[in-house]
Amino acid sequence: MRRYVLTGTPGAGKTSILRCLAERGYEVVEEAATAVIARAQAQGEGEPWTRASFIDEVVDLQRQRQSRTSAAESVQVFDRSPVCTHALATYLGWPVSRALTAEIERITAQEIYERQVLFIRNLGFCEPTSARRISFQESLVFEKIHEQSYRAFGFELIGIPAGDLTDRVAAVSSVISRPDS
């Protein structure tokens, strides 16, 4: 089984690409941080990322989702990984927790994800949402931190340039559909 990570700056179009991949029959796994934020906001908490337990909640949900994926699917695409959570902790100024360290050690030692990471390049803007309260300038800083985190843990970034959604989906598909990737 090959598990690919789709990552990049907030608002780069990862979710749109994932939806298209799902329509093409790929098994996709949605971003955990957004789910943790949405759940907390539905319970009246406006900024859950300011709480000390936030990073560990994201790590826990990422691990649950990864372990629940079907072994029958030959290719899976994940919207972010624990390495992204490392980048998020760094960006937010939170310490890297024991749970996050252990999860990164697990995914690298067990080679859970392919070493080739699909890095979706920014579109030149970032539209804020209730879960994504970041300016375009801040998103560029976050993008650099993501690149540094992935490289530090030995992953190879495959850049998917800004452009038409169809072209971006085709670029991702050409990588993940290779039998010997």
Side-chain angles (χ1 to χ4, degrees):
M1 172 183 332
R2 293 177 289 138
R3 295 181 187 102
Y4 287 93
V5 175
L6 201 67
T7 194
T9 190
K14 294 177 302 297
T15 302
S16 296
I17 293 169
L18 277 173
R19 286 185 184 132
C20 291
L21 292 171
E23 289 172 8
R24 290 182 176 200
Y26 288 103
E27 182 177 1
V28 300
V29 179
E30 293 184 13
E31 181 181 4
T34 300
V36 170
I37 292 168
R39 181 177 57 228
Q41 287 178 338
Q43 296 172 348
E45 185 178 0
E47 298 180 348
W49 52 86
T50 63
R51 154 166 55 78
S53 63
F54 175 71
I55 294 296
D56 286 350
E57 290 174 42
V58 173
V59 170
D60 184 53
L61 185 55
Q62 285 172 321
R63 185 177 179 130
Q64 287 175 37
R65 287 180 172 180
Q66 183 270 306
S67 65
R68 285 191 301 226
T69 57
S70 168
E73 295 296 327
S74 62
V75 175
Q76 298 169 347
V77 185
F78 288 75
D79 186 346
R80 302 204 182 273
S81 80
V83 177
C84 295
T85 307
H86 178 276
L88 179 60
T90 301
Y91 176 77
L92 293 174
W94 288 106
V96 176
S97 69
R98 287 187 191 139
L100 178 53
T101 298
E103 185 62 2
I104 290 174
E105 288 172 359
R106 182 185 79 85
I107 67 164
T108 54
Q110 295 179 19
E111 298 180 343
I112 298 294
Y113 301 103
E114 294 295 313
R115 299 314 268 176
Q116 294 180 314
V117 172
L118 300 148
F119 201 91
I120 309 303
R121 295 294 171 186
N122 73 75
L123 294 169
F125 62 90
C126 180
E127 302 227 358
T129 68
S130 60
R132 180 176 59 225
R133 297 181 193 169
I134 187 170
S135 71
F136 178 62
Q137 287 306 99
E138 291 170 325
S139 77
L140 295 178
V141 171
F142 197 26
E143 182 178 59
K144 290 275 186 230
I145 294 170
H146 269 83
E147 290 181 69
Q148 293 165 352
S149 291
Y150 274 97
R151 288 190 174 114
F153 291 108
F155 289 90
E156 172 192 352
L157 301 177
I158 298 176
I160 306 298
D164 178 77
L165 178 60
T166 304
D167 293 340
R168 296 175 109 194
V169 171
V172 169
S173 292
S174 72
V175 173
I176 67 177
S177 64
R178 292 183 207 143
D180 297 312
S181 295

